[in-house]
Amino acid sequence: MVTQKEVVLTVAGTVIGGTAAVVGATIAAPLALSAVGFTSAGVAAGSMAAAMQPAAVAAGSLFATLQSVGAAGLATGTVGLIGSAGAAIGGVGTRLAILMGRHDADEKKGGGIR
């Protein structure tokens, strides 16, 4: 039987996971890209990005995508998708932690999984 506490913890894990993913996508990703040379002004001279830049950048390539995200940030749909994935991971992770806690409690009582 699922308790009210378990439901609250699962919802909290879902919200926290989604929030962390959105914050990571909107703040951490652009900062990391900027640090390696994908800036809003283009590829920074002498950077890691400049060192890996091919003579001709093909549209849709990884380099072109990183350059686009570095210049303009992530698209709203992409941030939403990342947030949804984070929420799912947070909810599932919390639920698994609850189930593992139940298993540990059963083991201490001498029961185990039946």
Side-chain angles (χ1 to χ4, degrees):
M1 177 152 122
V2 178
T3 67
Q4 183 177 3
K5 179 181 178 181
E6 290 173 343
V7 171
V8 170
L9 288 174
T10 302
V11 170
T14 302
V15 171
I16 291 168
T19 302
V22 169
V23 169
T26 57
I27 296 173
L31 286 175
L33 287 173
S34 180
V36 296
F38 293 103
T39 70
S40 59
V43 177
S47 67
M48 187 184 307
M52 64 182 253
Q53 183 173 13
V57 177
S61 67
L62 176 62
F63 190 89
T65 302
L66 293 174
Q67 189 173 5
S68 174
V69 172
L74 291 170
T76 304
T78 304
V79 172
L81 181 64
I82 292 169
S84 297
I89 291 167
V92 169
T94 303
R95 188 70 188 136
L96 288 173
I98 290 168
L99 293 174
M100 289 173 62
R102 276 190 190 173
H103 174 71
D104 290 345
D106 284 346
E107 285 291 316
K108 287 180 184 173
K109 291 179 187 175
I113 296 178
R114 301 177 214 279

